[in-house]
Amino acid sequence: MDFTFTEEHLAAVEAAKAVFSAVAPDAVPSPAMTAGAVADDFDRSLWARLADSDLLSLVLPEEHGGAGLDPIALCLVLRESAKVLARVPLLETSAVAMTVARYGSAGLRSEIIPGAGRGDVVLTAAANGRTGHGPAEIAVTAHRPAASAVGWVLDGVQTAVPWGQCADRIAVPAHTADGRAVLALVPRAHDGLTLAEQVSTSGERLAEVRLEAVRIEDQDLIDDAQAWEWLRGLLATGTCALALGLGERVLAMTGEYTGKREQFGFPVATFQAVAVQAADRYIDLRAMEATLWQAAWRIGTGSGGALPPAGDIAVAKIWASEGVRRVVQTAQHLHGGFGADVDYPLHRYHAWAKQFELSLGPAAAHEEALGDLLAAHPLG
């Protein structure tokens, strides 16, 4: 495998850096000082700049006005967005649009993808199930109406849906009576769909999505067993990219601070105990990076391997969920009391890191999943 990025990848990174350079992590109230959500909506002005820079259409098909790039390109842009805590549904909209482009009907593709590329259509995905535990697709049922073979009816609950109140469409995984996983693209304003307010650890609005006899047309449901699996892997890998970008920025902040902070007449960065801890976190970040690109490459190319792509995704999630926690905890420790100052942005990064960790799930669960894959696909 070649980890060298293409010219298109590098151009996407430069464009992302240019857009995100104007973003201030302190632009909204602190989650530590706010009882509810830090804001009612995402950063619409930043969203418009992303659209104007063609970053929203980066991974969309060329026939719909996109650049046709791969999941690696998306992860590169997400990595940059996390360094400034960009409050936009970039991962969710891009991942759902890519899934529609890959598995959706011609009618659904023409309805969703051009608007998503222009920033006119905001998408999100319900990936946490009813409680945050267990497969998301078992939380909602999908069946044909009794009186007709046309359309589908959805019933169930999905929790902690990011940007649920702001999205135009919510991708809802569901299961049929025969156990198949399907993916429905449900309009937010739809009969039978209600949203309840939830707030994430990072202070952003989440939504509990309740579906009661929600009827959708045939073209709005992707009846392909691979669609939800692919979207779930893309969301997980994108979250790993966000964790990596955040961790890299936090370690850079720590280096800047310890290089200036002096004790006994010397910068604390020169103390062996400080240097060793920072070096350990650098190793974490490099492991997070290597496993991320492996997973993104497998998803994008569909290349074969000893294990299915789910194995590479599990390894990336193990490193990301553990690594981002260790990076921010070490950063808080090395900053001392200054790291807890709400006028300094480190506490915001800590809150976002905890949300990424919770979204990815515990490393032990991914290790168990990896063990099951190894048992099912013996190496050698």
Side-chain angles (χ1 to χ4, degrees):
M1 183 174 57
D2 184 3
F3 276 148
T4 303
F5 298 121
T6 66
E7 291 184 5
E8 290 82 2
H9 289 148
L10 297 176
V13 172
E14 291 305 311
K17 287 181 177 179
V19 173
F20 293 128
S21 64
V23 178
D26 292 336
V28 296
S30 166
M33 306 294 289
T34 308
V38 296
D40 292 333
D41 201 357
F42 61 86
D43 190 339
R44 294 279 179 174
S45 61
L46 175 57
W47 191 248
R49 295 199 299 274
L50 289 169
D52 291 341
S53 301
D54 294 328
L55 288 171
L56 297 184
S57 59
L58 191 70
V59 292
L60 302 183
E62 294 180 8
E63 59 265 31
H64 292 288
L69 297 188
D70 56 10
I72 292 176
L74 174 61
C75 288
L76 284 166
V77 176
L78 290 170
R79 180 188 191 178
E80 297 303 319
S81 75
K83 293 178 181 179
V84 296
L85 306 183
R87 300 181 53 261
V88 287
L90 178 60
L91 168 58
E92 294 79 11
T93 294
S94 298
V96 173
M98 291 173 74
T99 304
V100 170
R102 189 181 182 99
Y103 297 101
S105 65
L108 187 61
R109 291 198 301 271
S110 62
E111 183 177 351
I112 295 292
I113 298 175
R118 295 190 304 268
D120 299 332
V121 175
V122 176
L123 306 170
T124 190
N128 295 309
R130 188 183 186 92
T131 64
H133 302 282
E137 66 272 17
I138 68 174
V140 175
T141 61
H143 64 273
R144 293 286 192 182
S148 171
V150 177
W152 294 82
V153 176
L154 306 174
D155 290 279
V157 177
Q158 296 278 357
T159 193
V161 178
W163 317 110
Q165 292 88 347
C166 311
D168 299 296
R169 293 265 194 147
I170 302 172
V172 179
H175 68 279
T176 62
D178 57 358
R180 290 181 296 113
V182 296
L183 187 65
L185 273 293
V186 185
R188 173 175 50 85
H190 197 76
D191 291 341
L193 187 150
T194 56
L195 303 176
E197 188 83 5
Q198 296 178 320
V199 180
S200 72
T201 302
S202 59
E204 299 297 339
R205 293 180 78 190
L206 301 174
E208 180 189 74
V209 177
R210 186 173 297 274
L211 304 105
E212 297 181 357
V214 172
R215 289 177 174 263
I216 61 171
E217 302 296 329
D218 281 332
Q219 81 159 18
D220 292 330
L221 185 136
I222 302 175
D223 191 3
D224 188 310
Q226 300 302 314
W228 166 235
E229 183 69 19
W230 199 76
L231 174 57
R232 178 168 54 188
L234 195 54
L235 290 169
T237 305
T239 305
C240 292
L242 292 169
L244 173 62
L246 182 146
E248 288 177 328
R249 179 61 193 128
V250 166
L251 189 60
M253 291 168 60
T254 305
E256 293 165 5
Y257 176 77
T258 57
K260 297 176 182 177
R261 177 76 167 89
E262 291 189 357
Q263 284 187 347
F264 313 111
F266 297 95
V268 296
T270 63
F271 298 169
Q272 185 179 32
V274 172
V276 167
Q277 291 182 69
D280 285 343
R281 300 296 76 83
Y282 178 82
I283 293 171
D284 279 335
L285 291 172
R286 297 291 67 79
M288 291 167 64
E289 183 177 17
T291 54
L292 164 65
W293 301 135
Q294 170 78 8
W297 176 74
R298 287 293 305 278
I299 293 174
T301 63
S303 299
L307 295 177
D312 297 285
I313 295 170
V315 173
K317 290 166 75 175
I318 290 168
W319 276 103
S321 62
E322 289 281 288
V324 74
R325 174 179 55 79
R326 288 194 292 256
V327 168
V328 294
Q329 286 180 346
T330 297
Q332 289 281 11
H333 174 63
L334 296 182
H335 274 81
F338 194 61
D341 189 341
V342 295
D343 292 326
Y344 184 67
L346 182 58
H347 75 287
R348 296 175 183 266
Y349 285 90
H350 201 153
W352 278 58
K354 177 55 68 173
Q355 182 61 37
F356 292 153
E357 182 187 355
L358 293 171
S359 298
L360 290 166
H366 309 316
E367 290 164 355
E368 182 179 354
L370 184 60
D372 292 341
L373 286 169
L374 288 168
H377 303 83
L379 302 180

